[in-house]
């Protein structure tokens, strides 16, 4: 033990982990060594081998649980893989706030307490066109807080076609009842008329809620009143029209060939309250944004629950900097990874795919080709829409199991998440980032030996 503790390669471990922890590890490694000697599995062992085992144990123990992965699935807003990537353009800004005191809740001009929400208010008002805004922890919180404030113990009218469940068991009907409200369903799954809403109005009605069907599509024989019609109806009834957009978009991507998703500005112009996520199409950090009428936002701001749902300074820093990129829409599309990946041109995708395929084809025994396929935006946006993409298809040598190979990619030192289809490993280059090609090549070359 003494020799090990003072070994030149062990000493740095003590600096990092403390001597208690390292001693424990040494003990457990030594116990294992003794046992293998007793059982006859090992007859002799060199000190260097023991030292290496200790270092390996330390590395394993200290491997962070939350770690970067390579997304080869082509799903851009992959909720399980952390949704939006922040723009590298905002790195410095976040860094400055993270490691320094800040005016988070301090009004420097007036030498008094300020509001954390204030920092993103101006830019959000400008971008959304809303009278007032509020940022909370995520969009689920935004919806809950809004309903809790505006319609406690009242009826909320929702179309039967919009009783959405988002992943993670966030269901609109349950959210309404949780907030103490009552769900008043109107219409049918495929058709809801303005007159259905009108007929449902009564003295207990607290709000009309419109929910963007962000993760499914109802097609065929369908009808839905426009947002503007619903707002007019709500205005006559003197109740708010709340519009849960889910994934909000500031820039019309139809000029990049994508179907039309509702724009935040349009929703705000035709609703009393709009709620949307920060880390879906917006491409920022996890956050929920509530935008709308000043009088309603004021009420929401004074809800006691807000404290429990409030955003952290890291979120605010990332959000403010991301929103700043939107001042120039062209720059936003270029520099916000979510938007850049959605709008990647086929030329560029093919080039990347060829690059990866050529590299992989140098590995003995692999048969790699580039094939056409489709990517999904994911994260509750552009439901059912598939964007044409270029896939790198890897056919393994005969004695390799594709299922096992996919697992080895997924559980390696830098996890690589690939698609597995018909005994082939598929990598969608749309969601690969700079440097990923090299890592994928190295890992695959290491596995196919
Ligand atoms: C995604 C989504 C939510 C929840 O948003 P989070 O930011 O994930 O909390 C709520 N409503 C709709 C319509 C959504 O698409």
């Amino acid at each position: 033990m003494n020799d090990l503790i003072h070994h030149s390669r062990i000493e740095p471990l003590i600096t990092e982990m403390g001597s208690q922890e390292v001693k424990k590890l040494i003990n457990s490694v030594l116990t294992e060594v003794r046992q293998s000697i007793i059982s006859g599995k090992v007859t002799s062992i060199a000190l260097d081998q023991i030292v290496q085992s200790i270092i390996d144990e330390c590395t394993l123990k200290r491997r962070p649980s939350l770690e970067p992965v390579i997304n080869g699935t082509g799903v851009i807003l992959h909720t399980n893989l952390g949704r939006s990537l922040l723009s590298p353009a905002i790195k410095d800004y976040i860094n400055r706030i993270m490691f320094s005191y800040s005016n988070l809740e301090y009004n420097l001009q007036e030498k008094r307490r300020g509001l954390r929400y204030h920092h993103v208010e101006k830019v959000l008002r400008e971008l959304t066109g809303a009278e007032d805004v509020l940022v909370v922890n995520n969009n689920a919180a935004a919806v809950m807080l809004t309903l809790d404030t505006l319609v406690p113990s009242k009826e909320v009218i929702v179309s039967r076609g919009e009783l959405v469940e988002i992943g993670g068991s966030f269901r609109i009907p349950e959210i309404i009842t949780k907030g103490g409200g009552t769900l008043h369903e109107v219409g049918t799954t495929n058709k809801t008329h303005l007159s259905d809403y009108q007929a449902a109005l009564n003295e207990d009605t607290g709000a009309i809620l419109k929910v963007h069907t962000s993760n499914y599509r109802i097609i065929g024989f369908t009808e839905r009143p426009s947002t503007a019609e619903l707002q007019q109806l709500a205005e006559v009834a003197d109740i708010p029209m709340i519009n849960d957009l889910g994934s909000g978009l500031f820039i019309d991507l139809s000029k990049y060939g994508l179907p039309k998703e509702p724009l935040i500005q349009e929703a705000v112009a035709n609703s009393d309250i709009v709620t949307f996520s920060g880390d879906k199409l917006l491409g920022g950090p996890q956050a929920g944004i509530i935008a709308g009428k000043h009088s309603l936002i004021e009420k929401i701001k004074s809800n006691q629950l807000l404290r429990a749902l409030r955003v952290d300074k890291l979120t605010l820093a990332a959000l403010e900097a991301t929103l700043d990129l939107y001042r120039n829409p062209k720059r936003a599309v270029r520099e916000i990874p979510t938007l850049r990946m959605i709008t990647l041109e086929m030329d560029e995708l093919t080039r990347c795919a060829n690059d990866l395929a050529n590299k992989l084809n140098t590995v003995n025994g692999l048969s790699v080709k580039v094939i056409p396929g489709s990517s999904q935006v994911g994260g509750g946006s552009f439901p059912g829409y598939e964007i044409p993409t270029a896939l790198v298809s890897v056919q393994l040598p005969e004695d390799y199991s594709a299922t096992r190979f996919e697992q080895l990619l997924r559980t390696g030192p830098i996890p690589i998440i690939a698609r597995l289809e018909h005994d082939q490993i598929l990598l969608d280059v749309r969601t690969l980032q700079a440097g990923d090609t090299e890592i994928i090549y190295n890992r695959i070359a290491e596995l196919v030996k």
Side-chain angles (χ1 to χ4, degrees):
M1 171 66 91
N2 215 32
D3 290 354
L4 286 168
I5 284 279
H6 296 108
H7 193 280
S8 63
R9 293 181 67 204
I10 301 285
E11 271 180 339
L13 298 180
I14 294 173
T15 316
E16 283 173 34
M17 300 178 69
S19 58
Q20 290 286 72
E21 193 77 4
V22 176
K23 273 183 194 160
K24 258 197 254 164
L25 275 173
I26 295 177
N27 266 328
S28 84
V29 169
L30 287 179
T31 308
E32 232 170 84
V33 170
R34 275 187 210 109
Q35 267 160 7
S36 17
I37 290 172
I38 292 167
S39 69
K41 257 193 261 163
V42 176
T43 46
S44 74
I45 188 157
L47 181 69
D48 274 357
Q49 271 173 291
I50 297 177
V51 168
Q52 191 55 49
S53 299
I54 293 163
I55 292 170
D56 291 348
E57 285 290 313
C58 274
T59 313
L60 195 67
K61 187 152 192 186
R62 299 190 61 224
R63 181 170 171 173
S65 171
L66 184 61
E67 56 186 338
V69 307
I70 290 177
N71 179 2
T73 67
V75 181
I76 299 162
L77 294 172
H78 201 305
T79 298
N80 301 155
L81 303 185
R83 282 202 190 150
S84 275
L85 308 186
L86 295 179
S87 172
I90 69 171
K91 230 181 219 172
D92 289 347
Y93 185 88
I94 298 179
N95 254 329
R96 276 190 337 154
I97 301 302
M98 226 168 7
F99 301 104
S100 166
Y101 287 113
S102 63
N103 61 341
L104 181 66
E105 291 194 345
Y106 189 61
N107 185 325
L108 296 167
Q109 301 307 320
E110 297 171 21
K111 196 178 179 236
R112 60 177 172 87
R113 185 162 194 261
L115 278 179
R116 65 178 60 218
Y117 306 103
H118 180 76
H119 303 288
V120 285
E121 263 172 24
K122 193 155 167 286
V123 62
L124 270 173
R125 276 205 310 266
E126 281 169 15
L127 287 170
T128 62
E131 286 176 11
D132 206 351
V133 292
L134 179 62
V135 178
V136 290
N137 185 50
N138 58 7
N139 186 41
V143 175
M144 274 178 63
L145 186 65
T146 301
L147 292 175
D148 183 81
T149 314
L150 302 182
V151 285
S153 64
K154 287 263 190 176
E155 281 185 14
V156 181
I157 306 178
V158 190
S159 158
R160 290 198 169 90
E162 297 177 357
L163 296 172
V164 183
E165 173 179 316
I166 323 296
S169 68
F170 180 85
R171 297 169 140 193
I172 290 297
E174 272 89 337
I175 295 300
I176 291 171
T177 39
K178 258 228 152 67
T182 315
L183 171 66
H184 191 140
E185 299 175 25
V186 293
T188 60
T189 307
N190 56 326
K191 283 205 170 203
T192 306
H193 306 281
L194 188 64
S195 55
D196 292 324
Y197 286 92
Q198 198 149 23
L201 290 169
N202 65 65
E203 68 238 34
D204 279 339
T205 310
I208 291 176
L209 174 65
K210 182 181 164 73
V211 185
H212 179 46
T213 54
S214 55
N215 50 9
Y216 63 97
R217 268 196 309 168
I218 298 176
I219 53 171
F221 189 54
T222 65
E223 194 173 312
R224 194 85 17 112
S226 73
T227 314
E229 284 173 323
L230 286 180
Q231 193 195 21
Q232 275 157 20
L233 185 67
E235 191 172 352
V236 173
D238 199 22
I239 52 167
M241 199 284 261
I242 302 165
N243 188 350
D244 176 19
L245 259 195
S247 182
L249 193 59
F250 281 124
I251 297 170
D252 184 5
L253 294 181
S254 58
K255 50 178 172 266
Y256 295 91
L258 280 101
K260 189 131 172 65
E261 274 270 301
L263 288 181
I264 297 163
Q265 306 87 301
E266 288 169 9
V268 165
N270 295 302
S271 315
D272 297 311
I273 291 285
V274 175
T275 61
F276 55 96
S277 281
D279 58 351
K280 289 185 182 172
L281 288 172
L282 189 82
Q286 178 190 303
I289 296 150
I290 310 174
K293 296 260 153 68
H294 176 67
S295 57
L296 301 176
I297 301 274
E298 276 295 295
K299 270 195 201 158
I300 297 173
K301 272 186 187 164
S302 61
N303 189 326
Q304 294 286 317
L305 256 185
L306 176 61
R307 177 60 189 253
L309 306 173
R310 80 177 185 184
V311 280
D312 174 53
K313 64 183 173 207
L314 299 185
T315 304
L316 283 170
L319 186 62
E320 182 179 18
T322 304
L323 292 170
D324 185 62
L325 296 174
Y326 275 98
R327 292 182 195 279
N328 175 355
K330 284 212 182 88
R331 180 173 185 214
V333 172
R334 217 173 37 236
E335 295 191 10
I336 295 174
T338 299
L339 299 180
R340 186 182 53 77
M341 286 186 269
I342 293 176
T343 57
L344 272 176
E345 306 246 352
M346 204 57 203
D347 285 357
E348 167 103 21
L349 291 163
T350 310
R351 207 174 43 69
C352 292
N354 282 331
D355 185 36
L356 178 57
N358 290 341
K359 265 206 166 82
L360 289 175
N361 262 326
T362 64
V363 179
N364 256 344
L366 286 187
S367 162
V368 185
K369 52 186 197 296
V370 175
I371 58 170
S374 52
S375 322
Q376 282 174 29
V377 180
S381 43
F382 295 98
Y385 180 68
E386 317 228 298
I387 323 174
T389 191
L391 303 174
V392 174
S393 142
V394 182
Q395 184 79 55
L396 298 162
E398 281 217 340
D399 50 337
Y400 280 75
S401 143
T403 314
R404 173 84 183 120
F405 203 82
E406 181 277 332
Q407 186 197 7
L408 288 171
L409 289 177
R410 179 159 42 81
T411 53
I414 299 179
I416 300 166
I417 318 294
R419 292 196 220 164
L420 179 62
E421 268 172 40
H422 311 299
D423 264 359
Q424 276 174 29
I425 301 289
L426 297 180
L427 292 156
D428 188 337
V429 292
R430 184 182 293 277
T431 43
L432 298 185
Q433 309 301 310
D436 285 358
T437 298
E438 201 61 34
I439 299 169
I440 293 171
Y441 165 77
N442 287 336
R443 178 67 177 157
I444 292 183
E446 176 186 64
L447 290 174
V448 184
K449 266 205 250 178

